[in-house]
Amino acid sequence: MNFRLMNHRFSFGLALAGLLCLPFSTFAESINVATKQLTLNFKVGEDHRLYQQPIGLEQSNWKPGRDDESYPQSGDGYVWEPALQVVHADGNTSTALVFDAATRSNKTADIEEIRFHLHDAAYPFEVTLCFRAHQNEDVIEEWTEIAHRESGPVTLARMASSSLLLENNVYLTHFFGDWAKEMLAPITEQITPGAKTLDSKIGVRASQFQNPSFFLSVGGKASENEGRVLAGSLAWSGSFQLAFDDNGKSVRALCGINPFESSYRLAPGKTFTTPIMIWVWSSHGLGEMSRKFHHWARDFGMRDGHKTRSVLLNNWEATGFDFDFNRIAALFGPAKEIGSELFLLDDGWFGNAYPRTNDAAGLGDWQPNRQRLPQGLAPLAAAAVQQGLRFGIWMEPEMVNPNSDLFHQHPDWVIRQPKRPLELQRNQLVLDLTRPAVQEFEWKTIQNILSVPDITYAKWDCNRYLTQPGSPYLAADRQSELWIDYVQALYALMDKTAKTFPDTELMLCSGGGGRADYGALKYFQEFWPSDNTDPTMRVLMQWDYSYFFPSMALASHVTHWGNRPMHFACSVAMSARFGMDLDLTKMSAEDKAICAGAIGAYKKIRDITCLGDLYRLEDPHGNDRGAINFVSPDQARAVVFAFQLRDGPNAYVRPQGLAPSKRYTIHELNPAPGRPQIAQEGKTFAGEELMRDGILPSCSKALEASVIELSE
Ligand code: GLA
């Protein structure tokens, strides 16, 4: 269905004076964007501007004023943080948008798209506020489109994707971090008058310090099962800004591309489309919010969201840069033996004049190293396949080491500032993706690598961020466009890769978790949450990531980080996408048996952990134990994970989400060697009983874990 709330439609051809003369009564009074539990109420004011009732504020308490403008513009009366700041072709720095029309269309029974058309009555300049409302999931995707037909380019100085208003009793939970400390330490704070800004200015990836995902608890702090909560995640892999502007009456959440140094010239006749802001609402706490987010993500946020994942063995922690054909091929047999299904060859396989034997050389020269792999990648991939494993490969197509043929041939292909010494991070530089020749080079590189027969998986890495944002390709007056053009060119490359190699699974990685965002994830099956694989840290990280991402998207590998017991490490990895990064040729028989047991168990439950619903039971932050459970979509099976971080009492874990009247039989999977069987092993209980009385896991001492399957 597609209908208009007005019987005319703004067009640049219309006489502006005529438009302004329309009687106010022809404007719609209120317009809603609604899902099952969330309604955004908009109203067109007597001044023809569009207003939004703050989320959480009762209709009867709402007295719309200029502060409540839905997408405020700077320069004409609005004095807080604006959503839009424009310099028009004639130099005017003000914009004044009036409402023109709303169009609605049903994409499916569940999805409605609503577009609010606004225009500036003094300029041929229009803005469309776009909402895609997913009814059942309570997800609203929001973005903005900007277009004009002025006499010359218009400069967009800021253009938020979303600028939602909320009542002013709001708590923000956000996630500050760094390399190896991603999503470890949630910070919850009440928004108070003034602006709280979370942003990143690092260009080629969303996060290193701040994270583009957060949640807001409305009207008081939310818990797992109670409270009104709005999760937000900006789908953008570059510099972002999330500003929470409290004017004493309401809080405005301005989310979008970081305006920092990013002004963008928009030519007449072109449309600028902002990244999508994803909002997820729950009236019943954080658990429900996450489950809805996960449902949306499986359908729209990632590739293959309804397929389970293979068990992966990676060689990075095992060999680092030190390997050759034989060393790698020797891992295939033991990998297959313990149940792996996929082998991932990491960094170090390429470069000849500048061999990639450490991180200071070779990036950019994507030819297999002739000493290490004399016949190239194909025979190695074939050897893996012969052993019954799929084969995957690491690549970092956007980067170059100064020690490379590529850099010597094309020193002007890198992002750098004129007259400044090159600033290296991990000895490398970023190639300038705004340059068509670089786009071509990176595409050829990816195409060559992924066309090697038997390669069906790849890890796409990005190990530095921008610190000298200058493009030798872009004209002097377009330098600020580098930030946006880079990310758009990157998405074009990722899109082409996903479409050209539909059967090749892709892992998104950026020096750990720098690209854990839905802008890039839609081209990938999963992402690498952190280089920190210490399972005691991963329990916390995976808990926090799970607010926003389904666990099937989180690559979780068993390694020796932290030297934790193998059983504990395996149990933690089993609660996300299980993999290993271990030298199987050097492992004790006992540890190997634990791994083999974990893989066998993971294969039994991965349909539940990948495709089922997650319930966070016991928060591991600051506590002795963390616990979660997953429930299959038909509620016939469930799996409970308990992770003991410090010594504690052997307490019952109470699962959630079971069918109260169904009866479930309890079975501990891959129990730790030497620990007694759990008391309820093999016994059958009603879901209601289990949720009320709980299950006693086999763990109570630090670094013990228990994985318990419940089957109807
Ligand atoms: C990054 C990744 C690691 C590994 C190395 C290889 O740090 O996060 O997993 O791939 O690069 O150089």
Side-chain angles (χ1 to χ4, degrees):
M1 186 179 64
N2 191 331
F3 67 89
R4 298 213 188 295
L5 292 166
M6 283 182 60
N7 55 10
H8 80 274
R9 165 89 176 83
F10 170 74
S11 93
F12 291 120
L14 265 181
L16 296 171
L19 238 184
L20 287 172
C21 290
L22 279 170
F24 182 64
S25 60
T26 62
F27 284 88
E29 269 293 288
S30 2
I31 320 150
N32 290 345
V33 173
T35 63
K36 268 193 175 157
Q37 288 182 14
L38 176 67
T39 300
L40 304 176
N41 286 315
F42 296 87
K43 257 189 197 315
V44 180
E46 285 182 5
D47 57 2
H48 301 191
R49 290 178 188 265
L50 185 66
Y51 294 91
Q52 187 222 315
Q53 180 186 337
I55 297 171
L57 191 72
E58 292 298 321
Q59 173 81 34
S60 51
N61 295 336
W62 186 39
K63 296 178 187 60
R66 265 319 282 281
D67 297 346
D68 303 327
E69 204 174 342
S70 75
Y71 193 76
Q73 316 97 54
S74 79
D76 189 32
Y78 186 82
V79 295
W80 308 95
E81 278 303 304
L84 183 72
Q85 188 183 352
V86 172
V87 183
H88 292 277
D90 63 2
N92 188 340
T93 57
S94 67
T95 299
L97 296 175
V98 291
F99 179 80
D100 175 48
T103 54
R104 315 180 81 103
S105 57
N106 278 93
K107 299 290 167 197
T108 66
D110 187 49
I111 302 172
E112 188 185 25
E113 212 164 278
I114 303 110
R115 298 166 71 88
F116 295 158
H117 304 271
L118 314 173
H119 71 276
D120 189 319
Y123 289 92
F125 180 89
E126 59 173 38
V127 171
T128 311
L129 309 181
C130 311
F131 303 84
R132 193 179 296 131
H134 301 254
Q135 307 303 314
N136 290 324
E137 293 77 18
D138 288 305
V139 171
I140 295 178
E141 296 174 57
E142 188 183 357
W143 71 98
T144 302
E145 296 173 1
I146 303 165
H148 73 93
R149 290 196 185 278
E150 297 189 16
S151 57
V154 153
T155 303
L156 306 177
R158 70 177 66 212
M159 51 298 197
S161 296
S162 168
S163 110
L164 278 190
L165 278 174
L166 300 104
E167 67 159 270
N168 75 348
N169 182 14
V170 167
Y171 288 81
L172 165 69
T173 301
H174 58 105
F175 302 85
F176 186 75
D178 198 349
W179 179 79
K181 294 190 193 125
E182 297 93 335
M183 288 298 228
L184 257 185
I187 298 165
T188 298
E189 57 191 293
Q190 187 165 21
I191 299 293
T192 53
K196 166 85 190 177
T197 301
L198 310 173
D199 79 340
S200 80
K201 304 183 180 75
I202 55 178
V204 297
R205 62 204 226 183
S207 91
Q208 173 82 11
F209 312 109
Q210 308 285 3
N211 197 285
S213 299
F214 62 89
F215 56 81
L216 297 163
S217 306
V218 182
K221 283 190 197 169
S223 63
E224 279 298 320
N225 293 316
E226 275 169 26
R228 291 172 300 157
V229 57
L230 183 67
S233 188
L234 184 71
W236 184 246
S237 311
S239 303
F240 64 84
Q241 190 191 68
L242 313 169
F244 305 91
D245 193 25
D246 183 339
N247 62 18
K249 280 183 12 201
S250 55
V251 173
R252 183 181 293 283
L254 289 143
C255 307
I257 290 173
N258 197 338
F260 172 76
E261 306 259 314
S262 288
S263 62
Y264 203 87
R265 275 203 321 198
L266 184 65
K270 296 262 189 249
T271 300
F272 185 87
T273 303
T274 69
I276 289 176
M277 182 66 197
I278 305 151
W279 296 111
V280 186
W281 175 262
S282 160
S283 305
H284 307 105
L286 300 164
E288 183 184 287
M289 168 206 96
S290 299
R291 288 185 287 280
K292 290 177 186 168
F293 215 145
H294 301 168
H295 284 194
W296 172 87
R298 285 195 199 96
D299 286 343
F300 305 103
M302 60 192 290
R303 285 173 69 198
D304 294 336
H306 294 279
K307 273 195 211 160
T308 59
R309 302 291 190 249
S310 302
V311 172
L312 179 151
L313 179 73
N314 188 194
N315 70 305
W316 177 244
E317 295 284 328
T319 68
F321 290 105
D322 185 18
F323 62 82
D324 60 8
F325 182 98
N326 291 331
R327 177 100 207 274
I328 296 299
L331 299 172
F332 298 157
K336 180 67 190 172
E337 234 167 71
I338 66 162
S340 295
E341 298 160 313
L342 166 66
F343 183 87
L344 167 63
L345 178 64
D346 214 284
D347 197 356
W349 56 268
F350 50 89
N352 283 296
Y354 301 88
R356 181 78 173 162
T357 48
N358 56 56
D359 64 19
L363 281 179
D365 300 348
W366 294 99
Q367 297 74 37
N369 178 277
R370 283 187 292 272
Q371 237 109 59
R372 301 177 156 212
L373 304 170
Q375 314 297 324
L377 287 168
L380 193 59
V385 170
Q386 235 167 31
Q387 294 269 10
L389 297 170
R390 291 169 52 207
F391 187 81
I393 192 80
W394 178 94
M395 60 184 183
E396 196 177 9
E398 299 154 77
M399 301 286 161
V400 64
N401 288 120
N403 290 327
S404 66
D405 280 335
L406 183 71
F407 183 75
H408 288 103
Q409 282 158 19
H410 300 289
D412 54 334
W413 277 15
V414 300
I415 294 177
R416 61 184 302 175
Q417 296 286 17
K419 301 183 185 163
R420 308 286 173 214
L422 285 172
E423 193 178 282
L424 303 180
Q425 259 182 17
R426 210 195 188 209
N427 305 301
Q428 65 195 57
L429 297 160
V430 186
L431 292 169
D432 181 2
L433 252 185
T434 66
R435 184 185 286 269
V438 170
Q439 293 167 10
E440 190 57 26
F441 169 81
E442 290 188 24
W443 171 235
K444 283 266 143 58
T445 299
I446 294 166
Q447 221 179 2
N448 288 340
I449 296 172
L450 299 188
S451 300
V452 171
D454 295 328
I455 288 189
T456 56
Y457 182 97
K459 173 177 177 182
W460 181 324
D461 213 335
C462 162
N463 273 306
R464 72 157 291 169
Y465 51 78
L466 285 192
T467 55
Q468 296 175 308
S471 162
Y473 174 75
L474 293 175
D477 61 350
R478 301 203 84 117
Q479 288 295 310
S480 62
E481 289 164 31
L482 169 65
W483 306 89
I484 291 170
D485 286 351
Y486 185 97
V487 179
Q488 283 174 345
L490 177 69
Y491 288 159
L493 204 57
M494 289 174 166
D495 187 41
K496 203 147 60 156
T497 305
K499 288 196 174 120
T500 310
F501 300 96
D503 300 323
T504 301
E505 273 178 81
L506 298 176
M507 184 210 279
L508 178 61
C509 176
S510 180
R515 278 185 175 163
D517 66 78
Y518 279 110
L521 190 61
K522 71 170 190 247
Y523 308 108
F524 290 74
Q525 274 79 358
E526 61 188 32
F527 68 89
W528 185 234
S530 176
D531 283 345
N532 190 338
T533 47
D534 177 340
T536 63
M537 298 292 117
R538 279 301 185 108
V539 170
L540 306 174
M541 288 174 171
Q542 290 172 194
W543 178 280
D544 291 347
Y545 273 120
S546 82
Y547 287 121
F548 312 102
F549 297 97
S551 64
M552 70 188 302
L554 310 178
S556 188
H557 292 183
V558 180
T559 73
H560 290 299
W561 269 57
N563 279 321
R564 310 300 180 186
M566 188 55 74
H567 182 265
F568 185 78
C570 283
S571 304
V572 173
M574 281 168 69
S575 67
R577 201 280 283 125
F578 185 93
M580 288 170 298
D581 207 334
L582 295 167
D583 190 344
L584 298 179
T585 60
K586 293 189 182 142
M587 252 165 77
S588 70
E590 192 192 346
D591 276 358
K592 256 197 199 171
I594 293 172
C595 284
I599 293 173
Y602 176 72
K603 287 177 181 169
K604 276 200 213 146
I605 55 159
R606 66 180 153 192
D607 59 322
I608 314 176
T609 57
C610 287
L611 312 175
D613 275 332
L614 169 73
Y615 293 82
R616 285 180 298 261
L617 307 175
E618 296 176 24
D619 187 348
H621 292 279
N623 295 318
D624 295 343
R625 182 169 83 177
I628 55 175
N629 77 285
F630 295 88
V631 181
S632 67
D634 61 0
Q635 290 178 302
R637 290 156 68 221
V639 55
V640 178
F641 291 85
F643 306 116
Q644 200 71 43
L645 295 167
R646 282 183 289 271
D647 291 352
N650 186 210
Y652 282 85
V653 180
R654 287 178 178 75
Q656 295 176 18
L658 305 176
S661 58
K662 280 197 170 143
R663 296 190 63 78
Y664 297 89
T665 304
I666 293 187
H667 172 53
E668 181 168 24
L669 294 168
N670 196 34
R675 251 187 274 156
Q677 185 173 291
I678 55 171
Q680 289 148 296
E681 177 69 35
K683 298 193 177 139
T684 301
F685 302 88
E688 190 180 21
E689 259 176 290
L690 289 170
M691 292 193 284
R692 187 190 58 226
D693 303 333
I695 303 168
L696 199 58
S698 60
C699 51
S700 62
K701 295 211 177 62
L703 307 181
E704 291 182 341
S706 199
V707 182
I708 299 166
E709 189 189 21
L710 314 179
S711 342
E712 198 189 359

